[in-house]
Amino acid sequence: MTTQIDKKAPAPRRRAARKPVTSAYVGRLVVLLVAAVLTLGPVMWTLSTSLRLPSESFDLPPRFIPWDPDFTSYSEVFAQIDMIRLVVNSALMTGLIAAGQMMTAAMAGYAFARLKFKGNKLLFGLVLATMMIPVQVTIVPVFMIIRGMGLADTLLALIIPAIPTAFGTFLMRQYFMGVPAELAEAAEIDGASQWRIFRSVYLPLATPGMAIVGILAFNYHWNEFFRPLILTISEENFTLPLGLVSLQGNMGTGSISVVLAGVILSMLPALVVFFFGQRSLRAGLTAGVGK
Amino acid sequence: MSSKMSRRSASGHAGTTPPSRPKPAPRRRTNNLFAWVLLAPTIVGMGIFTIVPIIGSLVLAFFRWDIISRPEFVGLANFADIALDPTVRVSFLNTIVFVIIAVTLQLGIALVLASMIQERLPDWLRVFFRSTFFFPLVLSAASVSIFMGYLFNEQFGVVNWLIGLVGLAPVPWLTTPAGAAAVVIIVYVWQNFGFSFLLFVGGLGNIPKEVYEAAELDGASGIKKFLNVTMPLLSPTTLVASVMAVITALQVFDQPYVLTRGGPGDSTRSAVMVVFESAFEQLEFGRASAIGLVLMLLIMAVTYVQFQLSRRFVFYQ
């Protein structure tokens, strides 16, 4: 501690670069490392256990690093549940919701940001207000509307209601507000139609914003549990999280390696998005927060 | 903002095509129509799947309906019923206790870790920690609850094995009310602290370095700097982080459903679980709507109170 004070005196400006290693610094590193181990440990254990023979599922001491992988549990997942079906359902649902949100949010966001029409502000306020209504409050009537439309227990029941997105619309509006308005004037002089200006001038510029909307939609709906639990009934319409919970129910506490193999498989697409879309995901989650 | 835009486009028109006088009028009309075409999918979708349902819930709350027989108007009976129902009361109480503990832990852990990665870390370490703490957010709550349930298993779980290493007796995590409630909180906070962490990292990054340098020249040390400089300048971020954390936590469902199904007894039953059970297990749709509305009012009330409190404590630069 004393050395710290000594060294600070001559160079008070470059404090960040020149501070010696103090016990406070080491203590901070230790806390951060412990937090990182506690965060990654459960996932490492899940991976490691999924790669061991089902009979060794509960071996203690636990292993966190999969040295000698065995893939029995992975083939067993496919034998126990219709894993392919679950993946196809989840991918279809998530993909169509993401694509639908990107399109509708870009369209609505453009209208709110760039077009003049009666009730623009009021309507936008209304759209934002729907963000504050929790899904549980509307789920009973939504369930009935879905039934009335003849979509009960179909994947469409999960997809269609999720496509209009208040948050996505908000993000895209912010995005379009940041694009210079002069571009439209230039295109107008060239005789482009309204649709043409939107489609060929502004939409291509908005792809980064649309990517954020798509990645957010993917992350949320791939992991979604509450709506699929209510809106699907037959196992052939289940998505991955539902399938995994029912697999867990079927297996009891017998061989958890198989359940964990299913968990790891279901995480793979989320991991891909995490590695390649981390920046967009972070930007999306914290959008509209910083002021 | 829209008026500024219209002025710009109108003047643009006047400048380029001065002879054609009537042009601005028809153009505004097409603009209008085009706007509605672009808005249609969003507005119609929200109308059908958010606005109509919220009105539906408001109406349904005054009826008794099991989806098969005719709905029967019962006035405020559903609300009186849920006020007296011990399961509903316990579930709301559970939810409130859960929110208080989980949100405090979530914000506390996030703030401590976020302030720890600010200073003097090599960039690669900062990136590593940031990605690590963010990582659980991309997993599904159902998956997380599945593997966490095994880790907290009383006999074979890793957590009790670790506790045994220290020489303590195994904890009956999921089979006692307090243990189960603790597991739900731990699992929830484990997955969600990264979100508040991201917000705090952003907020701390926005505090100008000069403020700290000034404080240091005035002789402020670590804790003093934190209390007198960091906390006030971070208060807007703290407000947003706490409002969002509370709104999310009040809707907790996946973790208790997968980990405990609400048990043992009603000890981990959450408000949303009761909405779900009333509607889709007991087929009492009116009652479920009433519980959902009460939950929504609670969310709105808590958010309102938070913003009111913030007037006193939030400091804007």
Side-chain angles (χ1 to χ4, degrees), chain A residues 19-20 25 28 38-39 46 58 61 114-115 117 136-137 140-141 144-145 166 181 219 223 230 256 271 274, chain B residues 5 8 31-32 39 46 48 53 57 65 116 119-120 134-135 138 140 147 150 156 161 190 272 280 285:
Chain A
K19 271 189 189 171
Y25 181 70
R28 228 172 54 198
L38 288 176
T39 308
T46 303
F58 275 118
R114 283 271 162 261
L115 301 179
F117 60 96
Q136 301 85 28
V137 183
V140 169
M144 285 159 190
I145 291 167
N219 186 55
N223 295 330
I230 286 163
I256 64 171
L271 287 181
F274 177 70
Chain B
M5 225 163 55
R8 189 187 295 165
N31 216 349
N32 222 330
L39 288 169
M46 281 182 182
I48 297 175
S57 261
W65 194 34
M116 280 181 169
E119 272 180 277
R120 290 185 66 208
F134 172 60
F135 171 65
V138 305
S140 82
F147 66 68
Y150 294 133
F156 316 105
W161 175 78
W190 181 86
V272 173
F280 301 102
F285 289 90

Side-chain angles (χ1 to χ4, degrees), chain A residues 8 12-13 15-16 19-22 25 28-29 31-33 35-36 38-40 42-43 45-46 58 60-62 64 104-105 107-108 110-118 120-121 123 126-127 130 132-147 149 160-161 164-166 169 173 177 181-182 185 188-189 194-195 198 219 222-223 225-226 229-230 241 244-245 248 252-253 256 259-260 263 266-267 270-271 274 278 281-282 285-286 289, chain B residues 1-3 5-6 8-9 12-13 16 27-28 30-32 34-39 41-43 45-46 48-54 56-57 60 65 67 112-113 115-117 119-122 125 128-143 145-148 150-151 153 155-158 161 190 193 195 198-199 209 212-213 216-217 225 240 244 251 253-254 257-258 261 272 275-276 279-280 285 288-289 292-293 295-296 299:
Chain A
K8 219 160 118 197
R13 289 215 172 162
R15 57 188 186 92
K19 271 189 189 171
V21 176
T22 60
Y25 181 70
R28 228 172 54 198
L29 262 186
V31 172
L32 283 167
L33 280 174
L38 288 176
T39 308
L40 293 178
V43 183
W45 174 84
T46 303
F58 275 118
L60 291 172
F64 288 92
T104 59
M107 287 160 62
Y110 179 77
F112 282 129
R114 283 271 162 261
L115 301 179
K116 184 187 159 57
F117 60 96
K118 243 184 219 165
N120 185 328
K121 274 185 183 165
L123 205 57
L126 203 67
V127 168
T130 63
M132 280 180 269
I133 298 168
V135 64
Q136 301 85 28
V137 183
T138 53
I139 193 71
V140 169
V142 164
F143 175 74
M144 285 159 190
I145 291 167
I146 290 290
R147 260 172 56 115
M149 292 173 128
I160 294 173
T165 159
T169 303
R173 176 179 175 268
M177 302 241 287
E182 285 74 23
E185 287 163 22
E188 233 166 79
I189 293 167
Q194 288 284 323
W195 169 254
F198 167 62
N219 186 55
W222 185 264
N223 295 330
F225 184 70
F226 186 71
L229 178 70
I230 286 163
L244 292 176
V245 170
Q248 186 199 22
T253 47
I256 64 171
V259 181
L260 294 178
V263 166
S266 80
M267 281 178 191
L271 287 181
F274 177 70
Q278 218 195 118
L281 197 49
R282 255 189 283 135
L285 286 175
T286 54
V289 169
Chain B
M1 136 91 243
S2 54
S3 64
M5 225 163 55
S6 69
R8 189 187 295 165
S9 55
H13 249 275
T16 49
R27 200 183 146 266
R28 186 172 293 170
T30 36
N31 216 349
N32 222 330
F34 183 57
W36 287 110
V37 170
L38 290 184
L39 288 169
T42 299
I43 300 298
M46 281 182 182
I48 297 175
F49 295 110
T50 309
I51 307 294
V52 170
I54 195 83
S57 261
L60 212 52
W65 194 34
I67 225 169
V112 167
L113 295 177
S115 50
M116 280 181 169
I117 72 158
E119 272 180 277
R120 290 185 66 208
L121 276 187
L125 253 185
F128 166 76
F129 285 128
R130 203 180 53 194
S131 307
T132 300
F133 301 146
F134 172 60
F135 171 65
L137 285 172
V138 305
L139 307 178
S140 82
S143 296
S145 303
I146 287 174
F147 66 68
M148 287 294 198
Y150 294 133
L151 286 168
N153 181 292
Q155 289 129 50
F156 316 105
V158 174
W161 175 78
W190 181 86
F193 80 91
F195 181 61
L198 284 184
L199 298 184
K209 286 247 174 347
Y212 284 112
E213 278 163 18
E216 271 169 36
L217 285 180
K225 256 193 301 184
V240 172
M244 295 184 97
Q251 299 172 54
F253 175 82
D254 299 5
Y257 182 85
V258 176
R261 289 289 193 287
V272 173
V275 176
F276 169 76
F280 301 102
F285 289 90
S289 293
L293 285 177
L295 177 64
M296 189 176 75
I299 292 175

Side-chain angles (χ1 to χ4, degrees), chain B residues 263-300:
Chain B
D266 284 336
S267 59
T268 55
R269 205 168 300 280
S270 74
V272 173
M273 272 179 93
V274 182
V275 176
F276 169 76
E277 288 165 351
S278 290
F280 301 102
E281 285 175 9
Q282 294 142 23
L283 296 180
E284 298 199 50
F285 289 90
R287 195 162 166 273
S289 293
I291 303 171
L293 285 177
V294 173
L295 177 64
M296 189 176 75
L297 288 178
L298 182 66
I299 292 175
M300 286 162 63

Side-chain angles (χ1 to χ4, degrees), chain A residues 238-257:
Chain A
F238 277 11
T239 54
L240 269 166
L242 277 185
L244 292 176
V245 170
S246 77
L247 171 68
Q248 186 199 22
N250 295 343
M251 304 297 287
T253 47
S255 70
I256 64 171
S257 296

Side-chain angles (χ1 to χ4, degrees), chain B residues 19-198:
Chain B
S20 56
R21 268 286 150 101
K23 253 206 170 164
R27 200 183 146 266
R28 186 172 293 170
R29 210 179 302 141
T30 36
N31 216 349
N32 222 330
L33 176 70
F34 183 57
W36 287 110
V37 170
L38 290 184
L39 288 169
T42 299
I43 300 298
V44 171
M46 281 182 182
I48 297 175
F49 295 110
T50 309
I51 307 294
V52 170
I54 195 83
I55 296 166
S57 261
L58 279 168
V59 174
L60 212 52
F62 298 94
F63 284 84
R64 179 168 295 143
W65 194 34
D66 59 2
I67 225 169
I68 302 151
S69 46
R70 286 188 126 254
E72 176 199 347
F73 182 80
V74 292
L76 290 168
N78 283 325
F79 292 96
D81 181 48
I82 59 178
L84 297 172
D85 186 320
T87 306
V88 176
R89 270 164 41 182
V90 165
S91 72
F92 270 84
L93 194 67
N94 288 341
T95 306
I96 290 165
V97 172
F98 168 83
V99 168
I100 293 170
I101 300 177
V103 169
T104 307
L105 285 174
Q106 179 180 332
L107 293 180
I109 293 170
L111 179 57
V112 167
L113 295 177
S115 50
M116 280 181 169
I117 72 158
Q118 291 303 309
E119 272 180 277
R120 290 185 66 208
L121 276 187
D123 274 345
W124 66 272
L125 253 185
R126 189 174 293 143
V127 170
F128 166 76
F129 285 128
R130 203 180 53 194
S131 307
T132 300
F133 301 146
F134 172 60
F135 171 65
L137 285 172
V138 305
L139 307 178
S140 82
S143 296
V144 167
S145 303
I146 287 174
F147 66 68
M148 287 294 198
Y150 294 133
L151 286 168
F152 282 96
N153 181 292
E154 188 176 345
Q155 289 129 50
F156 316 105
V158 174
V159 175
N160 270 352
W161 175 78
L162 284 170
I163 287 174
L165 284 188
V166 195
L168 297 172
V171 176
W173 287 110
L174 291 163
T175 49
T176 56
V183 173
V184 170
I185 290 172
I186 293 168
V187 171
Y188 181 90
V189 172
W190 181 86
Q191 185 163 22
N192 288 288
F193 80 91
F195 181 61
S196 312
F197 171 82
L198 284 184

